[in-house]
Amino acid sequence: MGHNGRWMTAVLAAGVLTLAACGGGSDQGSGSGPGGLAVPKIDKLAALGAGEGSVTIVSWAGYVEDGTTDKTVDWVTPFEKDTGCQVNNKVAATSDEMVTLMKTGDYDVVSASGDASLRLIYGGDVAPVNTDLITNYKDIFDGLKNKQWNSVDGAAYGVPHGRGANVLMYRTDTVTPAPTSWGAVFDANSPYKGKITAYDSPIYIADAALYLMKTQPDLGIKNPYALDDKQFEASVALLKEQNKNIGEYWSDYTKEVQAFKSGNSVIGTSWQVIANLAKADKAPVESVLPSEGATGWSDTWMISSKAKHPNCGYRWMDYIVSPKANAQVAEWFGEAPSNKLACEQTTDKHHCTTFHADDESYFDQVWYWTTPLAQCVDGRTDVTCKDYSAWTQAWTTIKG
């Protein structure tokens, strides 16, 4: 896990993992989504032609490695030699930045997280993907295909890259008995007051909503990303109460590792890769997917509707989810690969088990990050839900 850890400092600090989205389009990319949002009609590539000699990519750090970060980590050079497509990559720090860059039309491909993917689809910035031209698509886990955040009316708008859950991590020498519920971080009378940590993002409101969905059924929450006024107020109130017990909020993964090592944090939301790195650093931690389930994330490779190098773009999307390359990225970044054959290619033979790559029963309990919209993403039409801007405003009041 060593090289992974050194590299992830740069990455997760940059806010690598972001939200995931929802969508509603036909084969040609026309159709309607939540609340009748129209999807611009954009044709997908009909056949693969000759490569254009280069491809421009917008990615999260760590997804497009050419040996610069670590000379032993390079899956770009083999792709360039094999296809003649020279890779020009721009690392983006946030989903907002990715959306802005893709709107320029200067980039061919993007590794979009869900909150970006929906905006790109409805904004007409990405085209539906002709999956018949992606030879490795057949080997991608079914649990990642045609989802709310990467398809519209059955039309695929991308090639799934990887996924992970937001788990509950705790110090085994302090937190006893071992926690099995998110109640451990939401209990107002927690014995761990001042040493609880939470993810620093408006999307964390969904973690509170998920807990209330399971513990206060009277609220009627069916989807943690679809909250009407009453449900939203209850979630925000729970987080304001929790705020009194929070020692620190985290977004930089290295700081969370340090906080658990030092004992400044003893319990809170985390990622599997953070638990692995903390353990590698000899911190006495374990992580668990609590009884209520958890939120999580999934990223998707998408092609620009204005791509100047569509043929090289398709070649990249196919290559990056090929078994060997997908295994390299998943291991370097610390996530479950999307290609089921990648599990045989990882250096650590336990990688896919650790990250639950083929365990759909595990991921059935995960609510992937989805952009909250005013048109409720749970399908309700008789109420208005709080959109992401409302979540953003509420988050500043929660933190005080």
Side-chain angles (χ1 to χ4, degrees), residues 31-191:
S32 64
L37 286 174
V39 180
K41 184 172 166 54
I42 298 164
D43 291 328
K44 57 189 180 187
L45 194 66
L48 202 56
E52 301 87 355
S54 67
V55 60
T56 53
I57 301 174
V58 175
S59 78
W60 292 118
Y63 277 9
V64 184
E65 290 293 317
D66 62 0
T68 308
T69 311
D70 180 326
K71 63 181 185 295
T72 64
V73 180
D74 178 3
W75 47 87
V76 169
T77 305
F79 167 78
E80 292 176 330
K81 282 181 179 158
D82 191 42
T83 63
C85 300
Q86 290 301 305
V87 171
N88 299 296
N89 185 53
K90 163 83 174 166
V91 172
T94 65
S95 283
D96 287 350
E97 189 183 347
M98 285 191 180
V99 172
T100 302
L101 289 168
M102 290 306 286
K103 280 190 182 304
T104 65
D106 294 340
Y107 299 89
D108 302 308
V109 183
V110 61
S111 65
S113 288
D115 63 328
S117 58
L118 184 63
R119 287 184 272 167
L120 292 167
I121 292 171
Y122 286 106
D125 301 307
V126 291
V129 171
N130 184 345
T131 56
D132 293 343
L133 304 180
I134 307 285
T135 55
N136 291 295
Y137 192 78
K138 65 184 185 303
D139 298 316
I140 286 175
F141 290 111
D142 289 337
L144 287 171
K145 292 177 180 174
N146 294 317
K147 293 300 172 187
Q148 270 192 315
W149 60 89
N150 61 21
S151 67
V152 178
D153 292 351
Y157 271 82
V159 181
H161 170 89
R163 57 180 166 174
N166 298 317
V167 294
L168 177 62
M169 185 163 82
Y170 59 97
R171 274 188 66 118
T172 53
D173 59 346
T174 314
V175 179
T176 55
T180 58
S181 162
W182 287 111
V185 300
F186 289 122
D187 175 8
N189 301 311
S190 171

Side-chain angles (χ1 to χ4, degrees), residues 176-378:
T176 55
T180 58
S181 162
W182 287 111
V185 300
F186 289 122
D187 175 8
N189 301 311
S190 171
Y192 311 114
K193 181 181 172 112
K195 299 201 167 183
I196 295 173
T197 189
Y199 186 54
D200 191 358
S201 166
I203 207 67
Y204 183 67
I205 294 170
D207 290 58
L210 175 63
Y211 179 65
L212 292 174
M213 183 167 96
K214 303 294 185 177
T215 56
Q216 290 187 30
D218 291 354
L219 284 168
I221 298 173
K222 299 283 183 282
N223 179 316
Y225 305 102
L227 306 175
D228 60 31
D229 284 345
K230 184 183 168 191
Q231 296 164 341
F232 188 71
E233 280 170 18
S235 305
V236 170
L238 178 62
L239 290 168
K240 283 183 173 170
E241 196 60 37
Q242 183 198 41
N243 175 262
K244 299 170 187 172
N245 289 339
I246 293 280
E248 62 182 336
Y249 292 94
W250 69 273
S251 57
D252 177 344
Y253 105 103
T254 53
K255 289 185 179 159
E256 196 187 22
V257 172
Q258 285 309 122
F260 272 84
K261 267 184 72 177
S262 68
N264 286 340
S265 291
V266 299
I267 190 166
T269 181
S270 189
W271 295 323
Q272 186 61 50
V273 63
I274 297 174
N276 295 355
L277 293 168
K279 278 186 177 177
D281 270 354
K282 306 285 188 282
V285 300
E286 287 296 339
S287 61
V288 62
L289 186 76
S291 56
E292 299 89 2
T295 57
W297 46 271
S298 170
D299 293 338
T300 305
W301 288 101
M302 309 180 94
I303 186 126
S304 170
S305 54
K306 312 178 222 26
K308 296 180 180 71
H309 315 98
N311 294 294
C312 277
Y314 263 77
R315 284 175 170 84
W316 171 262
M317 290 193 297
D318 198 12
Y319 169 77
I320 197 64
V321 297
S322 63
K324 188 174 181 194
N326 197 226
Q328 287 174 294
V329 183
E331 224 167 348
W332 174 244
F333 187 82
E335 65 191 341
S338 62
N339 188 322
K340 51 188 147 189
L341 303 182
C343 292
E344 296 159 24
Q345 302 279 342
T346 54
T347 311
D348 170 8
K349 292 309 165 196
H350 302 294
H351 180 85
C352 280
T353 307
T354 302
F355 288 89
H356 305 276
D358 56 357
D359 185 355
E360 291 304 337
S361 63
Y362 177 89
F363 282 109
D364 282 346
Q365 304 168 69
V366 174
W367 290 84
Y368 295 103
W369 276 334
T370 299
T371 306
L373 301 172
Q375 300 87 5
C376 306
V377 296
D378 62 0

